[in-house]
Amino acid sequence: MCGIVGYIGNRQAAPILLDGLSKLEYRGYDSAGIAVHSVDKINMVKSKGRLKVLEELTHNGSTLNGTVGIGHTRWATHGSPSDQNAHPHFNKNNSIVIVHNGIIENYLKLKKKLEKKGYEFISETDTEVIVHLLDYYYSGNPLQAVTKIMHRMEGSYALGIIFSDHPNELYAVRKDSPLIVGKTEGGNVVASDVPAVLKYTRNVYFVENEEIVRMTRDEMEFFTVDEEPIEKTSVEIEWDINAAEKGGYEHFMLKEMYEQPKAITDTFSPRLKGQDIVIEELNMSDQDIKSIEKIMIVACGSAYHAGVTSKYVFEGLAKIPVEVDLASEFRYRNPLLREGTLVIVISQSGETADTLAALREAKELGSRVLGIVNVVGSSIAREADNVMYTWAGPEIAVATTKAYSAQLIALYLLAMKFACVRGELTDHELAAMVEDLKALPAQVEMLLNNKNKIQRFANRYLAAKDVFFIGRGIDYAISLEGSLKLKEISYIHSEAYAAGELKHGTISLIEEGTLVASVLTQKQLYKKMISNMVEVRTRGAFVLAVTNEGNVEVERAADYVIYIPETNKYFANSLAIIPLQLFGYYIAIGRGCDVDKPRNLAKSVTVE
Ligand code: M6R
């Protein structure tokens, strides 16, 4: 997490740095700072709190003069959010300054050694060891000092570095934390992510692991850790710059919820050729698909929930056994990946540290890895054997909505494709599914337009302490995501349970008025679900049901019912999640929460 930016050029650096940081705040927002080289010294301003505090402190950057600078927006790992722990960090005589995204895992060991050599630490961060280490190795050649510290540091880092005695140079280096650089008119920029530089350039270079960049106003050079020069080619970014703006909506989250019909369409339409599903980027022959014996899905958070949903779809449609694992668990459990296992990693950002590590682990164990990724050119997209993009566009709100919806579509398409090739789906069945798929965008839109009803209901539960989400099968997977949406932005404790599991302990938590959101989209499970709803209602719960149109029987067991339109049973998640997203959103709004930037969170989790 954390976002870093840097600029060297003919323009004033500070406003460019602040603007870049504003596009990276999704990566962390507990403190921010900038450092600008001015005449013969480096000036720095940093502060606890959101970027707007820094903007006020620097009068939008006008108090810092200079055309070379670096900036940082922080998500605290080592040391609480404070002025002291905020980046940038100086060496002892303020002649070297750095910003860092990542974690130095051996920082305690390095710190002890540096302390023995007389270095004093003023922050609690792991980052401060980097700048003192640089100071220790620096003897006038910045590139040499950078390569030396790279040999000493373990962990992950993307760094921006300025040496005051090299005022016409800006250095950047990366290992396991994202970093891009771009050439602009009259200068060069570096950042953790593309949106920060999009205003200035569409041609970026993705810095690879252990690569170093030396930038001057006019030039950009790349080096290996052995100081060997590297030739790199730039990539053109095609994003619509306005896609990362609020466009009249009160919050990014609401805007992104409303972009779901488009995200769904954009993800399926390029892959539908008549009634056929063509996923060219899969690069798998029919024989390859037929020889899949097992699918292993690995992801975190909502992407994991999309994976849980797809287990039912792959198994039900394509008859391929599926295991779904959290990336943070998978990477340390010595997974058994046999020949014939296809590993699918799912990630919106393409930078989630655990998912990236799981991908590498799976590749090392000899598996083919397919990435389902939203951010074009991200680390997971580049490292996976094959990548299937979700075309949701930039997602800014920390709570994912449109990227999750697009992930579901990509997974449905894959399952349908596999089912056809393996002879599990007839042309006729496929045609019916494709029609249902095409109907989803309009159905999602219709559900979104029902937002006032959900808002009225949400307003009744602003003071809720605990909320339970229950469902069976795919409905359990929907419950997992509904529960996460609510808790991450409203701070109300909520849990998702497989409905049949409630009475094995959790039902003791149900008391008068506890809200239980029940999801019933799977006809074969209606009756079982209704029994579970009656069980909690008898114990005082207030039961909200999300179910298919026509299932009026549910009204006997629920206090409030939200109906979703009829669709193929495997696509139900795409519809049922909409009222649950709206519910989480309106509860959070009603409680005065910052929905786009919930406390303690960041959009891109680049540390494990
Ligand atoms: O970028 P990724 O899809 O890999 O991120 C995974 C999770 O961090 C993410 O889905 C997280 O759970 C969201 N905050 C959920 O809204």
Side-chain angles (χ1 to χ4, degrees):
M1 352 261 265
C2 302
I4 69 169
V5 288
Y7 173 76
I8 178 163
N10 300 328
R11 298 167 58 184
Q12 285 297 308
I16 295 175
L17 298 174
L18 289 173
D19 180 61
L21 291 178
S22 73
K23 306 291 187 308
L24 296 179
E25 250 196 317
Y26 73 87
R27 304 179 65 84
Y29 35 79
D30 59 44
S31 51
I34 51 177
V36 175
H37 192 281
S38 175
V39 195
D40 55 352
K41 68 186 215 351
I42 300 167
N43 293 316
M44 176 171 79
V45 182
K46 57 183 187 175
S47 168
K48 180 184 167 178
R50 297 280 165 94
L51 186 63
K52 63 176 185 301
V53 179
L54 184 68
E55 287 167 345
E56 280 162 18
L57 279 174
T58 61
H59 298 278
N60 291 322
S62 62
T63 58
L64 285 170
N65 241 326
T67 57
V68 184
I70 51 177
H72 189 270
T73 178
R74 181 169 186 246
W75 186 88
T77 57
H78 296 66
S80 57
S82 68
D83 291 357
Q84 206 76 283
N85 291 331
H87 299 213
H89 289 279
F90 267 134
N91 66 333
K92 58 185 184 234
N93 60 0
N94 296 0
S95 60
I96 307 176
V97 69
I98 66 163
V99 286
H100 169 216
N101 166 31
I103 290 182
I104 304 304
E105 287 167 2
N106 60 338
Y107 86 103
L108 279 176
K109 202 166 125 197
L110 293 171
K111 187 173 176 179
K112 266 191 200 138
K113 288 192 175 163
L114 287 162
E115 276 170 340
K116 274 192 195 143
K117 294 186 191 304
Y119 284 92
E120 283 173 22
F121 285 76
I122 53 171
S123 78
E124 303 158 282
T125 64
D126 54 330
T127 301
E128 212 186 334
V129 300
I130 308 174
V131 73
H132 293 317
L133 206 58
L134 268 174
D135 180 279
Y136 177 72
Y137 283 118
Y138 187 58
S139 54
N141 181 339
L143 185 61
Q144 206 174 62
V146 172
T147 58
K148 280 194 174 147
I149 66 161
M150 288 168 77
H151 289 295
R152 300 292 310 276
M153 297 189 299
E154 288 163 21
S156 57
Y157 48 84
L159 301 172
I161 314 168
I162 300 174
F163 296 82
S164 69
D165 60 351
H166 284 257
N168 298 317
E169 290 170 10
L170 171 60
Y171 286 83
V173 56
R174 133 173 211 194
K175 181 177 167 264
D176 290 340
S177 290
L179 195 70
I180 53 120
V181 288
K183 291 182 181 168
T184 77
E185 272 221 13
N188 288 317
V189 281
V190 54
S192 299
D193 197 1
V194 172
V197 305
L198 219 44
K199 209 173 180 177
Y200 313 103
T201 181
R202 286 194 165 270
N203 287 303
V204 303
Y205 297 84
F206 288 95
V207 182
E208 299 293 342
N209 262 348
E210 308 210 325
E211 284 181 0
I212 307 158
V213 196
R214 175 166 58 202
M215 283 173 273
T216 60
R217 280 175 179 77
D218 315 311
E219 284 183 357
M220 190 176 281
E221 296 165 285
F222 299 90
F223 299 93
T224 66
V225 67
D226 300 317
E227 297 180 44
E228 302 283 348
I230 317 170
E231 285 299 317
K232 283 178 84 77
T233 39
S234 63
V235 174
E236 192 176 337
I237 303 294
E238 286 167 8
W239 285 1
D240 171 9
I241 197 161
N242 297 319
E245 304 294 335
K246 272 192 209 152
Y249 284 88
E250 202 182 337
H251 298 102
F252 278 112
M253 183 176 174
L254 188 63
K255 175 181 176 247
E256 287 160 6
M257 281 193 275
Y258 269 89
E259 285 170 348
Q260 289 180 109
K262 182 172 180 331
I264 291 172
T265 310
D266 289 353
T267 302
F268 72 61
S269 53
R271 284 132 182 165
L272 291 183
K273 307 268 163 34
Q275 292 298 344
D276 240 16
I277 295 173
V278 181
I279 312 175
E280 273 156 14
E281 61 273 43
L282 250 189
N283 211 8
M284 285 174 96
S285 66
D286 284 2
Q287 193 43 49
D288 290 337
I289 293 173
K290 282 181 187 154
S291 44
I292 299 171
E293 283 169 17
K294 180 184 161 181
I295 297 175
M296 176 84 229
I297 298 179
V298 191
C300 300
S302 296
Y304 167 79
H305 299 158
V308 177
T309 302
S310 75
K311 172 181 167 70
Y312 299 96
V313 188
F314 279 115
E315 291 187 343
L317 274 183
K319 310 283 183 282
I320 306 174
V322 177
E323 196 182 336
V324 193
D325 206 353
L326 293 161
S328 50
E329 290 296 313
F330 175 87
R331 60 183 293 195
Y332 293 117
R333 75 169 163 90
N334 299 321
L336 297 176
L337 297 178
R338 306 212 184 283
E339 216 190 315
T341 302
L342 171 69
V343 176
I344 302 180
V345 297
I346 311 168
S347 176
Q348 186 286 129
S349 61
E351 300 293 349
T352 300
D354 284 320
T355 312
L356 183 58
L359 173 158
R360 290 177 181 158
E361 171 84 8
K363 277 181 83 173
E364 214 154 89
L365 291 169
S367 285
R368 178 187 196 126
V369 180
L370 168 66
I372 296 185
V373 180
N374 195 45
V375 177
V376 176
S378 55
S379 301
I380 294 178
R382 281 176 293 134
E383 291 193 31
D385 293 306
N386 302 99
V387 58
M388 182 174 178
Y389 282 113
T390 49
W391 297 114
E395 192 179 61
I396 310 294
V398 166
T400 180
T401 52
K402 63 172 180 171
Y404 168 79
S405 283
Q407 285 162 355
L408 290 175
I409 301 297
L411 289 159
Y412 301 157
L413 288 169
L414 265 183
M416 288 156 73
K417 174 79 194 169
F418 288 180
C420 290
V421 173
R422 293 164 73 103
E424 299 289 352
L425 203 60
T426 64
D427 287 350
H428 182 68
E429 288 165 331
L430 176 67
M433 287 193 86
V434 167
E435 285 317 302
D436 283 338
L437 198 63
K438 287 182 179 164
L440 284 177
Q443 291 173 324
V444 167
E445 190 149 354
M446 195 268 280
L447 288 163
L448 285 165
N449 290 338
N450 207 11
K451 65 181 191 315
N452 293 346
K453 184 180 173 193
I454 314 272
Q455 182 170 22
R456 279 195 299 277
F457 179 76
N459 284 340
R460 288 161 56 180
Y461 277 90
L462 299 182
K465 285 209 167 50
D466 303 291
V467 178
F468 292 89
F469 288 76
I470 60 171
R472 289 168 177 259
I474 285 188
D475 295 337
Y476 169 54
I478 302 170
S479 302
L480 286 168
E481 179 59 8
S483 170
L484 180 60
K485 283 290 89 77
L486 175 67
K487 70 181 129 192
E488 69 180 328
I489 55 173
S490 74
Y491 318 140
I492 292 176
H493 166 249
S494 78
E495 281 188 59
Y497 264 85
E501 186 63 18
L502 262 192
K503 47 182 161 301
H504 297 283
T506 313
I507 203 163
S508 65
L509 295 170
I510 303 294
E511 48 189 42
E512 203 53 43
T514 306
L515 178 60
V516 178
S518 317
V519 186
L520 312 79
T521 67
Q522 306 295 302
K523 286 197 176 74
Q524 74 281 14
L525 294 167
Y526 278 172
K527 287 206 164 62
K528 301 284 166 208
M529 271 304 295
I530 287 179
S531 305
N532 296 136
M533 289 157 66
V534 171
E535 283 162 12
V536 289
R537 207 177 182 209
T538 315
R539 287 158 180 85
F542 186 94
V543 177
L544 163 72
V546 178
T547 193
N548 302 326
E549 267 164 17
N551 183 21
V552 286
E553 209 197 327
V554 76
E555 292 184 16
R556 285 194 296 112
D559 298 287
Y560 199 88
V561 184
I562 295 164
Y563 289 103
I564 60 164
E566 202 56 55
T567 184
N568 182 287
K569 66 175 179 177
Y570 293 116
F571 303 160
N573 191 339
S574 294
L575 300 181
I577 198 58
I578 305 298
L580 299 182
Q581 291 171 344
L582 287 166
F583 178 63
Y585 173 77
Y586 282 117
I587 289 238
I589 298 284
R591 287 163 64 93
C593 301
D594 185 345
V595 282
D596 283 341
K597 294 186 187 119
R599 70 183 180 208
N600 305 338
L601 288 176
K603 180 77 180 160
S604 186
V605 185
T606 55
V607 293
E608 64 169 294

